Amino acid sequence: MILLSLLLAGQTALDSERALARTMARDGQWTALRAFAAPDAVVFTPDPVRASDAALRDRKNPPVPLRRRPTASYVACDGTMAVNTGSSVGAKGGHGYTTTVWTRQGVGRGATWRWVVDHGDALPTPAAPVARPTTERASCKGKPYSLYDTPEPGAVKEGHGQSPDGTLAWRWTIGEGGDRAFDAFLWNGEDMVQVVEDRVEARAR
């Protein structure tokens, strides 16, 4: 854990996303997610499960690890939170996407990034290739507003967060039928603009 902290110190959320992908390829999917998780981190299996729960803590890594590659990073003006998107390839060549919320823990050169939400799903066809991940930072002008003051209608479970300066906000919800959604918004100086909109249909169990 000391080595991991040194690797994450002083990096951006995009750097940490790449480090997570490398660790996943080397050590396995669940081992890597646990190593980079914040104490209250949530992943979907497909139900929301805390990374610290025994059900996930004891989960075995698949024989062939998931390959992940970041495509974009949306960062709060104050640099304390980011939502990263990416593509993934599974063991049998199945393609998918990833959306991960990262928060910066600590201050100064000793600060590290930890993920608090890891979301994603399969895709019927591969996502368009991206030569280099993009980074979009929220505007530092104006006065952002709180986005999630009320519960989402029809949601039976949900989680949400907003950066301390209010310029980046996210929320996941589980509907009555088991459908899942994840949304993220970035402040542009005048309004909160949606930058991520994930929708996952409920599947038969």
Side-chain angles (χ1 to χ4, degrees):
M1 292 304 292
I2 294 176
L3 177 58
L4 177 61
S5 297
L6 290 173
L7 288 173
L8 295 180
Q11 294 190 341
T12 66
L14 200 53
D15 293 331
S16 295
E17 189 77 45
R18 295 188 181 100
L20 171 63
R22 290 193 300 270
T23 305
M24 191 173 288
R26 185 190 66 216
D27 299 335
Q29 178 176 331
W30 300 112
T31 298
L33 284 172
R34 289 190 293 265
F36 285 74
D40 57 346
V42 172
V43 65
F44 299 87
T45 64
D47 294 320
V49 178
R50 290 188 181 276
S52 58
D53 286 357
L56 188 62
R57 190 174 63 242
D58 300 333
R59 196 163 186 153
K60 301 296 184 182
N61 291 318
V64 179
L66 188 72
R67 289 178 288 156
R68 294 167 54 128
R69 184 176 183 181
T71 57
S73 185
Y74 303 96
V75 188
C77 166
D78 64 6
T80 61
M81 181 179 289
V83 176
N84 293 345
T85 60
S87 61
S88 65
V89 180
K92 298 181 180 180
H95 294 269
Y97 68 88
T98 61
T99 302
T100 308
V101 181
W102 294 83
T103 60
R104 194 176 68 192
Q105 315 273 307
V107 295
R109 294 180 61 84
T112 62
W113 287 89
R114 298 285 175 176
W115 68 268
V116 294
V117 177
D118 190 65
H119 183 259
D121 194 34
L123 290 173
T125 58
V130 174
R132 180 177 298 178
T134 59
T135 298
E136 183 176 351
R137 200 177 190 100
S139 172
C140 297
K141 299 178 180 179
K143 187 177 181 180
Y145 50 87
S146 179
L147 198 61
Y148 297 125
D149 290 330
T150 58
E152 178 72 10
V156 295
K157 294 180 182 180
E158 72 168 69
H160 60 85
Q162 196 154 350
S163 59
D165 66 356
T167 61
L168 177 62
W170 56 268
R171 175 159 65 182
W172 61 262
T173 59
I174 305 294
E176 293 180 356
D179 53 298
R180 191 167 77 241
F182 179 93
D183 300 289
F185 290 79
L186 200 66
W187 177 249
N188 69 358
E190 297 180 353
D191 201 1
M192 297 294 285
V193 177
Q194 189 159 19
V195 291
V196 179
E197 184 179 9
D198 295 345
R199 295 294 181 268
V200 180
E201 294 182 359
R203 296 185 176 90
R205 297 176 183 249

PDB file of all heavy atoms in Angstrom, residues 24-52:
ATOM      1  N   MET A  24      -4.809  -3.522 -13.113  1.00  0.00           N
ATOM      2  CA  MET A  24      -5.830  -4.509 -13.432  1.00  0.00           C
ATOM      3  C   MET A  24      -5.274  -5.570 -14.383  1.00  0.00           C
ATOM      4  O   MET A  24      -5.515  -6.772 -14.216  1.00  0.00           O
ATOM      5  CB  MET A  24      -7.039  -3.798 -14.053  1.00  0.00           C
ATOM      6  CG  MET A  24      -8.276  -4.664 -14.194  1.00  0.00           C
ATOM      7  SD  MET A  24      -9.725  -3.706 -14.736  1.00  0.00           S
ATOM      8  CE  MET A  24     -10.083  -2.773 -13.242  1.00  0.00           C
ATOM      9  N   ALA A  25      -4.501  -5.127 -15.385  1.00  0.00           N
ATOM     10  CA  ALA A  25      -3.914  -6.065 -16.338  1.00  0.00           C
ATOM     11  C   ALA A  25      -2.889  -6.970 -15.676  1.00  0.00           C
ATOM     12  O   ALA A  25      -2.743  -8.141 -16.038  1.00  0.00           O
ATOM     13  CB  ALA A  25      -3.271  -5.290 -17.486  1.00  0.00           C
ATOM     14  N   ARG A  26      -2.185  -6.444 -14.664  1.00  0.00           N
ATOM     15  CA  ARG A  26      -1.121  -7.201 -14.001  1.00  0.00           C
ATOM     16  C   ARG A  26      -1.645  -8.086 -12.871  1.00  0.00           C
ATOM     17  O   ARG A  26      -1.261  -9.255 -12.751  1.00  0.00           O
ATOM     18  CB  ARG A  26      -0.081  -6.227 -13.447  1.00  0.00           C
ATOM     19  CG  ARG A  26       1.144  -6.902 -12.825  1.00  0.00           C
ATOM     20  CD  ARG A  26       1.983  -5.867 -12.108  1.00  0.00           C
ATOM     21  NE  ARG A  26       1.289  -5.305 -10.958  1.00  0.00           N
ATOM     22  CZ  ARG A  26       1.387  -4.031 -10.576  1.00  0.00           C
ATOM     23  NH1 ARG A  26       2.117  -3.172 -11.263  1.00  0.00           N
ATOM     24  NH2 ARG A  26       0.731  -3.613  -9.514  1.00  0.00           N
ATOM     25  N   ASP A  27      -2.536  -7.530 -12.038  1.00  0.00           N
ATOM     26  CA  ASP A  27      -2.934  -8.216 -10.801  1.00  0.00           C
ATOM     27  C   ASP A  27      -4.359  -8.751 -10.807  1.00  0.00           C
ATOM     28  O   ASP A  27      -4.732  -9.491  -9.896  1.00  0.00           O
ATOM     29  CB  ASP A  27      -2.780  -7.269  -9.606  1.00  0.00           C
ATOM     30  CG  ASP A  27      -1.347  -6.795  -9.420  1.00  0.00           C
ATOM     31  OD1 ASP A  27      -0.429  -7.517  -9.864  1.00  0.00           O
ATOM     32  OD2 ASP A  27      -1.147  -5.706  -8.853  1.00  0.00           O
ATOM     33  N   GLY A  28      -5.162  -8.349 -11.791  1.00  0.00           N
ATOM     34  CA  GLY A  28      -6.542  -8.815 -11.829  1.00  0.00           C
ATOM     35  C   GLY A  28      -7.538  -7.703 -11.545  1.00  0.00           C
ATOM     36  O   GLY A  28      -7.235  -6.715 -10.879  1.00  0.00           O
ATOM     37  N   GLN A  29      -8.734  -7.895 -12.072  1.00  0.00           N
ATOM     38  CA  GLN A  29      -9.772  -6.877 -12.026  1.00  0.00           C
ATOM     39  C   GLN A  29     -10.153  -6.449 -10.615  1.00  0.00           C
ATOM     40  O   GLN A  29     -10.099  -5.271 -10.261  1.00  0.00           O
ATOM     41  CB  GLN A  29     -11.015  -7.406 -12.756  1.00  0.00           C
ATOM     42  CG  GLN A  29     -12.203  -6.478 -12.747  1.00  0.00           C
ATOM     43  CD  GLN A  29     -13.351  -7.041 -13.565  1.00  0.00           C
ATOM     44  OE1 GLN A  29     -13.139  -7.786 -14.528  1.00  0.00           O
ATOM     45  NE2 GLN A  29     -14.565  -6.695 -13.202  1.00  0.00           N
ATOM     46  N   TRP A  30     -10.559  -7.389  -9.781  1.00  0.00           N
ATOM     47  CA  TRP A  30     -11.064  -7.032  -8.461  1.00  0.00           C
ATOM     48  C   TRP A  30      -9.947  -6.615  -7.516  1.00  0.00           C
ATOM     49  O   TRP A  30     -10.123  -5.741  -6.669  1.00  0.00           O
ATOM     50  CB  TRP A  30     -11.876  -8.193  -7.880  1.00  0.00           C
ATOM     51  CG  TRP A  30     -13.047  -8.527  -8.742  1.00  0.00           C
ATOM     52  CD1 TRP A  30     -13.233  -9.662  -9.482  1.00  0.00           C
ATOM     53  CD2 TRP A  30     -14.181  -7.695  -8.998  1.00  0.00           C
ATOM     54  NE1 TRP A  30     -14.406  -9.592 -10.177  1.00  0.00           N
ATOM     55  CE2 TRP A  30     -15.014  -8.402  -9.905  1.00  0.00           C
ATOM     56  CE3 TRP A  30     -14.575  -6.439  -8.556  1.00  0.00           C
ATOM     57  CZ2 TRP A  30     -16.215  -7.886 -10.366  1.00  0.00           C
ATOM     58  CZ3 TRP A  30     -15.770  -5.913  -9.023  1.00  0.00           C
ATOM     59  CH2 TRP A  30     -16.573  -6.633  -9.905  1.00  0.00           C
ATOM     60  N   THR A  31      -8.774  -7.217  -7.670  1.00  0.00           N
ATOM     61  CA  THR A  31      -7.624  -6.825  -6.857  1.00  0.00           C
ATOM     62  C   THR A  31      -7.284  -5.356  -7.097  1.00  0.00           C
ATOM     63  O   THR A  31      -7.044  -4.589  -6.156  1.00  0.00           O
ATOM     64  CB  THR A  31      -6.406  -7.704  -7.186  1.00  0.00           C
ATOM     65  OG1 THR A  31      -6.703  -9.058  -6.862  1.00  0.00           O
ATOM     66  CG2 THR A  31      -5.176  -7.254  -6.392  1.00  0.00           C
ATOM     67  N   ALA A  32      -7.285  -4.950  -8.363  1.00  0.00           N
ATOM     68  CA  ALA A  32      -6.959  -3.565  -8.706  1.00  0.00           C
ATOM     69  C   ALA A  32      -8.025  -2.598  -8.212  1.00  0.00           C
ATOM     70  O   ALA A  32      -7.706  -1.538  -7.642  1.00  0.00           O
ATOM     71  CB  ALA A  32      -6.792  -3.434 -10.217  1.00  0.00           C
ATOM     72  N   LEU A  33      -9.287  -2.942  -8.405  1.00  0.00           N
ATOM     73  CA  LEU A  33     -10.353  -2.045  -7.951  1.00  0.00           C
ATOM     74  C   LEU A  33     -10.307  -1.838  -6.450  1.00  0.00           C
ATOM     75  O   LEU A  33     -10.466  -0.720  -5.957  1.00  0.00           O
ATOM     76  CB  LEU A  33     -11.714  -2.600  -8.374  1.00  0.00           C
ATOM     77  CG  LEU A  33     -12.081  -2.429  -9.854  1.00  0.00           C
ATOM     78  CD1 LEU A  33     -13.363  -3.185 -10.180  1.00  0.00           C
ATOM     79  CD2 LEU A  33     -12.228  -0.949 -10.212  1.00  0.00           C
ATOM     80  N   ARG A  34     -10.056  -2.916  -5.715  1.00  0.00           N
ATOM     81  CA  ARG A  34      -9.965  -2.778  -4.257  1.00  0.00           C
ATOM     82  C   ARG A  34      -8.789  -1.903  -3.854  1.00  0.00           C
ATOM     83  O   ARG A  34      -8.880  -1.098  -2.923  1.00  0.00           O
ATOM     84  CB  ARG A  34      -9.853  -4.159  -3.608  1.00  0.00           C
ATOM     85  CG  ARG A  34     -11.126  -4.988  -3.657  1.00  0.00           C
ATOM     86  CD  ARG A  34     -11.015  -6.227  -2.789  1.00  0.00           C
ATOM     87  NE  ARG A  34     -10.044  -7.178  -3.297  1.00  0.00           N
ATOM     88  CZ  ARG A  34     -10.344  -8.214  -4.076  1.00  0.00           C
ATOM     89  NH1 ARG A  34     -11.597  -8.422  -4.463  1.00  0.00           N
ATOM     90  NH2 ARG A  34      -9.414  -9.056  -4.483  1.00  0.00           N
ATOM     91  N   ALA A  35      -7.666  -2.025  -4.556  1.00  0.00           N
ATOM     92  CA  ALA A  35      -6.457  -1.287  -4.197  1.00  0.00           C
ATOM     93  C   ALA A  35      -6.619   0.214  -4.397  1.00  0.00           C
ATOM     94  O   ALA A  35      -6.024   1.009  -3.657  1.00  0.00           O
ATOM     95  CB  ALA A  35      -5.272  -1.796  -5.014  1.00  0.00           C
ATOM     96  N   PHE A  36      -7.423   0.636  -5.374  1.00  0.00           N
ATOM     97  CA  PHE A  36      -7.568   2.049  -5.699  1.00  0.00           C
ATOM     98  C   PHE A  36      -8.844   2.665  -5.118  1.00  0.00           C
ATOM     99  O   PHE A  36      -9.113   3.844  -5.342  1.00  0.00           O
ATOM    100  CB  PHE A  36      -7.576   2.231  -7.220  1.00  0.00           C
ATOM    101  CG  PHE A  36      -6.231   2.097  -7.871  1.00  0.00           C
ATOM    102  CD1 PHE A  36      -5.629   0.857  -8.015  1.00  0.00           C
ATOM    103  CD2 PHE A  36      -5.563   3.208  -8.358  1.00  0.00           C
ATOM    104  CE1 PHE A  36      -4.395   0.722  -8.630  1.00  0.00           C
ATOM    105  CE2 PHE A  36      -4.326   3.089  -8.973  1.00  0.00           C
ATOM    106  CZ  PHE A  36      -3.732   1.844  -9.109  1.00  0.00           C
ATOM    107  N   ALA A  37      -9.634   1.887  -4.392  1.00  0.00           N
ATOM    108  CA  ALA A  37     -10.939   2.347  -3.935  1.00  0.00           C
ATOM    109  C   ALA A  37     -10.864   3.243  -2.707  1.00  0.00           C
ATOM    110  O   ALA A  37     -10.029   3.046  -1.824  1.00  0.00           O
ATOM    111  CB  ALA A  37     -11.827   1.144  -3.627  1.00  0.00           C
ATOM    112  N   ALA A  38     -11.764   4.230  -2.642  1.00  0.00           N
ATOM    113  CA  ALA A  38     -11.990   4.992  -1.425  1.00  0.00           C
ATOM    114  C   ALA A  38     -12.783   4.111  -0.459  1.00  0.00           C
ATOM    115  O   ALA A  38     -13.409   3.125  -0.885  1.00  0.00           O
ATOM    116  CB  ALA A  38     -12.771   6.266  -1.742  1.00  0.00           C
ATOM    117  N   PRO A  39     -12.790   4.438   0.844  1.00  0.00           N
ATOM    118  CA  PRO A  39     -13.489   3.580   1.816  1.00  0.00           C
ATOM    119  C   PRO A  39     -14.970   3.363   1.499  1.00  0.00           C
ATOM    120  O   PRO A  39     -15.506   2.299   1.793  1.00  0.00           O
ATOM    121  CB  PRO A  39     -13.301   4.340   3.128  1.00  0.00           C
ATOM    122  CG  PRO A  39     -12.036   5.111   2.939  1.00  0.00           C
ATOM    123  CD  PRO A  39     -12.035   5.517   1.500  1.00  0.00           C
ATOM    124  N   ASP A  40     -15.635   4.359   0.903  1.00  0.00           N
ATOM    125  CA  ASP A  40     -17.069   4.251   0.632  1.00  0.00           C
ATOM    126  C   ASP A  40     -17.364   3.990  -0.845  1.00  0.00           C
ATOM    127  O   ASP A  40     -18.482   4.197  -1.313  1.00  0.00           O
ATOM    128  CB  ASP A  40     -17.794   5.512   1.082  1.00  0.00           C
ATOM    129  CG  ASP A  40     -17.236   6.762   0.407  1.00  0.00           C
ATOM    130  OD1 ASP A  40     -16.147   6.679  -0.195  1.00  0.00           O
ATOM    131  OD2 ASP A  40     -17.889   7.828   0.505  1.00  0.00           O
ATOM    132  N   ALA A  41     -16.382   3.509  -1.602  1.00  0.00           N
ATOM    133  CA  ALA A  41     -16.529   3.313  -3.040  1.00  0.00           C
ATOM    134  C   ALA A  41     -17.607   2.279  -3.369  1.00  0.00           C
ATOM    135  O   ALA A  41     -17.792   1.303  -2.657  1.00  0.00           O
ATOM    136  CB  ALA A  41     -15.198   2.872  -3.640  1.00  0.00           C
ATOM    137  N   VAL A  42     -18.321   2.524  -4.486  1.00  0.00           N
ATOM    138  CA  VAL A  42     -19.414   1.660  -4.925  1.00  0.00           C
ATOM    139  C   VAL A  42     -19.147   1.192  -6.349  1.00  0.00           C
ATOM    140  O   VAL A  42     -18.784   1.988  -7.219  1.00  0.00           O
ATOM    141  CB  VAL A  42     -20.762   2.403  -4.875  1.00  0.00           C
ATOM    142  CG1 VAL A  42     -21.871   1.567  -5.513  1.00  0.00           C
ATOM    143  CG2 VAL A  42     -21.133   2.749  -3.438  1.00  0.00           C
ATOM    144  N   VAL A  43     -19.338  -0.121  -6.587  1.00  0.00           N
ATOM    145  CA  VAL A  43     -19.232  -0.701  -7.920  1.00  0.00           C
ATOM    146  C   VAL A  43     -20.512  -1.486  -8.168  1.00  0.00           C
ATOM    147  O   VAL A  43     -21.190  -1.903  -7.221  1.00  0.00           O
ATOM    148  CB  VAL A  43     -17.976  -1.608  -8.029  1.00  0.00           C
ATOM    149  CG1 VAL A  43     -18.084  -2.816  -7.119  1.00  0.00           C
ATOM    150  CG2 VAL A  43     -17.724  -2.030  -9.464  1.00  0.00           C
ATOM    151  N   PHE A  44     -20.859  -1.710  -9.434  1.00  0.00           N
ATOM    152  CA  PHE A  44     -22.124  -2.357  -9.789  1.00  0.00           C
ATOM    153  C   PHE A  44     -21.865  -3.755 -10.335  1.00  0.00           C
ATOM    154  O   PHE A  44     -21.094  -3.924 -11.277  1.00  0.00           O
ATOM    155  CB  PHE A  44     -22.867  -1.504 -10.821  1.00  0.00           C
ATOM    156  CG  PHE A  44     -23.195  -0.135 -10.298  1.00  0.00           C
ATOM    157  CD1 PHE A  44     -22.281   0.899 -10.412  1.00  0.00           C
ATOM    158  CD2 PHE A  44     -24.406   0.106  -9.659  1.00  0.00           C
ATOM    159  CE1 PHE A  44     -22.569   2.157  -9.906  1.00  0.00           C
ATOM    160  CE2 PHE A  44     -24.698   1.356  -9.147  1.00  0.00           C
ATOM    161  CZ  PHE A  44     -23.773   2.387  -9.275  1.00  0.00           C
ATOM    162  N   THR A  45     -22.580  -4.761  -9.737  1.00  0.00           N
ATOM    163  CA  THR A  45     -22.274  -6.158 -10.079  1.00  0.00           C
ATOM    164  C   THR A  45     -23.474  -7.051 -10.472  1.00  0.00           C
ATOM    165  O   THR A  45     -23.309  -8.270 -10.316  1.00  0.00           O
ATOM    166  CB  THR A  45     -21.537  -6.798  -8.886  1.00  0.00           C
ATOM    167  OG1 THR A  45     -22.416  -6.820  -7.752  1.00  0.00           O
ATOM    168  CG2 THR A  45     -20.249  -6.107  -8.539  1.00  0.00           C
ATOM    169  N   PRO A  46     -24.635  -6.624 -10.943  1.00  0.00           N
ATOM    170  CA  PRO A  46     -25.021  -5.273 -11.330  1.00  0.00           C
ATOM    171  C   PRO A  46     -25.588  -4.427 -10.201  1.00  0.00           C
ATOM    172  O   PRO A  46     -25.782  -3.231 -10.375  1.00  0.00           O
ATOM    173  CB  PRO A  46     -26.079  -5.530 -12.391  1.00  0.00           C
ATOM    174  CG  PRO A  46     -26.747  -6.788 -11.932  1.00  0.00           C
ATOM    175  CD  PRO A  46     -25.640  -7.625 -11.337  1.00  0.00           C
ATOM    176  N   ASP A  47     -25.924  -5.014  -9.053  1.00  0.00           N
ATOM    177  CA  ASP A  47     -26.408  -4.211  -7.935  1.00  0.00           C
ATOM    178  C   ASP A  47     -25.264  -3.394  -7.351  1.00  0.00           C
ATOM    179  O   ASP A  47     -24.098  -3.802  -7.414  1.00  0.00           O
ATOM    180  CB  ASP A  47     -26.991  -5.117  -6.845  1.00  0.00           C
ATOM    181  CG  ASP A  47     -28.239  -5.843  -7.300  1.00  0.00           C
ATOM    182  OD1 ASP A  47     -29.054  -5.220  -8.002  1.00  0.00           O
ATOM    183  OD2 ASP A  47     -28.389  -7.034  -6.968  1.00  0.00           O
ATOM    184  N   PRO A  48     -25.557  -2.240  -6.763  1.00  0.00           N
ATOM    185  CA  PRO A  48     -24.499  -1.443  -6.145  1.00  0.00           C
ATOM    186  C   PRO A  48     -23.928  -2.141  -4.914  1.00  0.00           C
ATOM    187  O   PRO A  48     -24.667  -2.561  -4.030  1.00  0.00           O
ATOM    188  CB  PRO A  48     -25.213  -0.139  -5.762  1.00  0.00           C
ATOM    189  CG  PRO A  48     -26.664  -0.493  -5.675  1.00  0.00           C
ATOM    190  CD  PRO A  48     -26.883  -1.578  -6.672  1.00  0.00           C
ATOM    191  N   VAL A  49     -22.612  -2.300  -4.888  1.00  0.00           N
ATOM    192  CA  VAL A  49     -21.928  -2.980  -3.785  1.00  0.00           C
ATOM    193  C   VAL A  49     -20.732  -2.133  -3.373  1.00  0.00           C
ATOM    194  O   VAL A  49     -19.993  -1.635  -4.223  1.00  0.00           O
ATOM    195  CB  VAL A  49     -21.434  -4.380  -4.206  1.00  0.00           C
ATOM    196  CG1 VAL A  49     -20.684  -5.066  -3.072  1.00  0.00           C
ATOM    197  CG2 VAL A  49     -22.593  -5.242  -4.680  1.00  0.00           C
ATOM    198  N   ARG A  50     -20.540  -1.969  -2.076  1.00  0.00           N
ATOM    199  CA  ARG A  50     -19.363  -1.250  -1.601  1.00  0.00           C
ATOM    200  C   ARG A  50     -18.114  -2.106  -1.809  1.00  0.00           C
ATOM    201  O   ARG A  50     -18.123  -3.304  -1.566  1.00  0.00           O
ATOM    202  CB  ARG A  50     -19.506  -0.877  -0.125  1.00  0.00           C
ATOM    203  CG  ARG A  50     -20.539   0.204   0.134  1.00  0.00           C
ATOM    204  CD  ARG A  50     -20.494   0.670   1.574  1.00  0.00           C
ATOM    205  NE  ARG A  50     -21.503   1.686   1.833  1.00  0.00           N
ATOM    206  CZ  ARG A  50     -21.343   2.981   1.586  1.00  0.00           C
ATOM    207  NH1 ARG A  50     -20.197   3.408   1.084  1.00  0.00           N
ATOM    208  NH2 ARG A  50     -22.305   3.844   1.842  1.00  0.00           N
ATOM    209  N   ALA A  51     -17.050  -1.462  -2.243  1.00  0.00           N
ATOM    210  CA  ALA A  51     -15.808  -2.196  -2.484  1.00  0.00           C
ATOM    211  C   ALA A  51     -15.268  -2.831  -1.210  1.00  0.00           C
ATOM    212  O   ALA A  51     -14.526  -3.803  -1.270  1.00  0.00           O
ATOM    213  CB  ALA A  51     -14.767  -1.253  -3.079  1.00  0.00           C
ATOM    214  N   SER A  52     -15.646  -2.284  -0.057  1.00  0.00           N
ATOM    215  CA  SER A  52     -15.172  -2.813   1.226  1.00  0.00           C
ATOM    216  C   SER A  52     -16.002  -3.987   1.731  1.00  0.00           C
ATOM    217  O   SER A  52     -15.618  -4.647   2.699  1.00  0.00           O
ATOM    218  CB  SER A  52     -15.182  -1.697   2.281  1.00  0.00           C
ATOM    219  OG  SER A  52     -16.491  -1.149   2.430  1.00  0.00           O
TER     220      SER A  52
END
